[in-house]
Amino acid sequence: MNNTYKIENYKICPECHGSVIKNLHENVCVECGLIINDLQLMDSYQYNEIKNTDLSAGDQFVSIGKTIDNVCTLGSHIGYYSSNSFFDHRNMILPSAQQKKFRKLKKQYSLPIKIKNHETDYRILGILNRITQYMNLSDNVKNRSAYFYQSIKKKATNIRNHVSLIAFCIYYSSREFSQNAPISIKEICKVFTIMGHRINPKLIIRDSITYKCFIMKNEKINRPHKSEDYINRFVNSIVNSSEICVRMKKKGISWTKEEYKRKLETKCNSTLKLLDLNVRRARNPFILAGAVIYCADKLIAKENNTKTILTQKSASNAMEIAEYSIRDHYVKILKPIFFP
């Protein structure tokens, strides 16, 4: 079915005539579940919007492509975007003198004209693309981060640090799409440092306090994360660790990676349900999730009469959590309950 309906025209479902509600970024029928319209993002974002709508037929203009998370996707180039050789309209290569001329024009005028007056935006969106690619974040997180950045830039009177702002937007959008494994502020700062940007957690927290009021309020974003949100991410890190695979062979474990992953996830979720909320409330959910995985491995080994696969050191290396933190949470919280 075509999903290009206007939102205001469809308050009832065109299929079953049920009521339509907004669920995150989609209009969904409560009766049949049909997605009427995707509200996630605009397809593109135009920096210079045309105010005058009374354009005559002769008032033609060309605008460069400015998508919300990329640059130079549309518009005119001299030759192809990265070409060094140029051809005429008959697809014949130009003489060397002409090649030199157009190469000079391409170098001096092509890119500067496209980014004129928007150098900061292009630089920040380029950083966003590199960061999300390095962290293997989904397109939803990347697009949402770019949307938040544009919204804040448009509404805020002053931006103190554009790089820390896009770091805050990445963090904020990752909390909205928690199914894509939430990331911490410390992890974002680490990647920005690797990329050569001086960003620290204080700057991101400062931007959160300052600019949070300019973007969409969402209860799901403001909800604190639970340990359950990190289980899938940590289990994937463990089963994909070469050190863990070697230990499985050394201990004579016949399970496949998928079987071990399924057992760990099931046991972790059941273990977290048995923990009292008052105990969990005082602990870091990120570290507690790692300790629960270490405990779940011990419980699986006890139930199946096999040897444990994880050690505190191997779990620490796979999940990038300090070894003493895993040991502290396990000894003080989990061991008295499950191994009295």
Side-chain angles (χ1 to χ4, degrees):
M1 182 176 179
N2 190 357
N3 289 334
T4 59
Y5 306 110
K6 292 185 178 179
I7 301 170
E8 60 270 19
N9 293 342
Y10 281 87
K11 296 183 179 180
I12 61 172
C13 177
E15 292 292 327
C16 67
H17 303 290
S19 59
V20 176
I21 62 172
K22 180 181 177 182
N23 181 23
L24 289 181
H25 308 295
E26 296 173 337
N27 277 342
V28 183
C29 175
V30 296
E31 300 294 336
C32 64
L34 178 68
I35 298 176
I36 307 301
N37 193 297
D38 188 359
L39 302 176
Q40 181 177 332
L41 287 173
M42 297 169 59
D43 290 335
S44 64
Y45 185 92
Q46 186 69 42
Y47 292 113
N48 300 321
E49 296 180 355
I50 303 300
K51 301 298 183 181
N52 182 19
T53 57
D54 299 327
L55 296 176
S56 64
D59 294 331
Q60 299 179 3
F61 57 91
V62 177
S63 176
I64 64 173
K66 298 174 184 176
T67 57
I68 197 167
D69 63 330
N70 204 352
V71 295
C72 292
T73 54
L74 295 175
S76 300
H77 298 275
I78 300 177
Y80 289 100
Y81 181 73
S82 58
S83 62
N84 292 320
S85 300
F86 305 99
F87 301 82
D88 61 13
H89 66 284
R90 292 171 297 185
N91 203 29
M92 301 294 292
I93 192 165
L94 295 176
S96 59
Q98 294 292 324
Q99 292 282 344
K100 184 177 180 180
K101 173 185 175 181
F102 283 108
R103 198 173 291 121
K104 181 179 179 180
L105 290 172
K106 183 179 179 68
K107 180 180 179 181
Q108 294 186 358
Y109 298 106
S110 182
L111 185 59
I113 288 175
K114 290 180 180 297
I115 68 174
K116 186 177 181 180
N117 300 326
H118 301 294
E119 291 83 356
T120 301
D121 297 306
Y122 287 138
R123 181 172 66 91
I124 295 303
L125 292 179
I127 292 173
L128 171 63
N129 281 323
R130 291 192 294 271
I131 293 295
T132 53
Q133 184 177 7
Y134 185 91
M135 300 185 73
N136 198 25
L137 298 176
S138 68
D139 288 339
N140 288 335
V141 174
K142 180 180 70 172
N143 294 338
R144 198 64 170 161
S145 300
Y147 177 76
F148 286 152
Y149 172 77
Q150 299 291 1
S151 298
I152 293 172
K153 183 176 176 292
K154 184 178 179 180
K155 298 175 183 178
T157 56
N158 182 34
I159 304 296
R160 287 183 282 186
N161 189 325
H162 288 263
V163 179
S164 65
L165 175 59
I166 197 63
F168 157 68
C169 293
I170 293 173
Y171 171 69
Y172 202 74
S173 59
S174 70
R175 291 180 65 86
E176 181 175 358
F177 296 96
S178 57
Q179 68 272 19
N180 294 324
I183 53 180
S184 64
I185 294 179
K186 185 180 293 185
E187 290 174 311
I188 294 175
C189 292
K190 180 180 178 181
V191 177
F192 270 84
T193 302
I194 293 173
M195 294 293 181
H197 305 286
R198 291 182 292 180
I199 296 298
N200 56 61
K202 290 183 179 179
L203 292 177
I204 297 179
I205 295 173
R206 181 201 67 185
D207 288 349
S208 174
I209 297 172
T210 306
Y211 303 121
K212 193 175 181 180
C213 59
F214 294 114
I215 53 181
M216 185 186 302
K217 294 179 175 61
N218 191 321
E219 294 180 0
K220 188 175 181 180
I221 300 176
N222 298 324
R223 175 184 64 83
H225 280 307
K226 297 181 179 180
S227 297
E228 287 84 350
D229 297 331
Y230 298 98
I231 293 298
N232 183 54
R233 167 186 170 181
F234 284 157
V235 170
N236 283 328
S237 299
I238 286 174
V239 298
N240 292 323
S241 171
S242 57
E243 182 181 359
I244 303 302
C245 295
V246 171
R247 285 189 59 82
M248 289 180 67
K249 294 180 181 179
K250 184 178 179 180
K251 298 295 182 180
I253 304 298
S254 59
W255 302 326
T256 64
K257 288 170 57 175
E258 288 299 322
E259 290 174 338
Y260 182 53
K261 175 182 176 181
R262 190 162 52 249
K263 289 178 182 291
L264 266 183
E265 289 179 343
T266 303
K267 183 58 66 177
C268 287
N269 290 325
S270 61
T271 301
L272 285 170
K273 290 179 181 178
L274 297 175
L275 293 180
D276 187 74
L277 292 178
N278 292 326
V279 176
R280 296 178 56 179
R281 189 178 293 117
R283 297 290 176 172
N284 186 325
F286 186 83
I287 299 176
L288 180 59
V292 166
I293 290 177
Y294 173 72
C295 179
D297 178 73
K298 287 183 171 292
L299 292 173
I300 292 172
K302 183 178 179 181
E303 293 175 359
N304 294 275
N305 294 322
T306 59
K307 295 182 179 180
T308 58
I309 298 174
L310 295 178
T311 63
Q312 292 178 4
K313 184 176 181 179
S314 62
S316 173
N317 293 335
M319 296 183 290
E320 297 184 355
I321 300 176
E323 187 176 342
Y324 67 85
S325 297
I326 296 177
R327 179 168 56 250
D328 177 71
H329 281 65
Y330 171 72
V331 173
K332 292 183 178 180
I333 300 176
L334 301 173
K335 188 175 180 180
I337 299 175
F338 299 100
F339 299 96

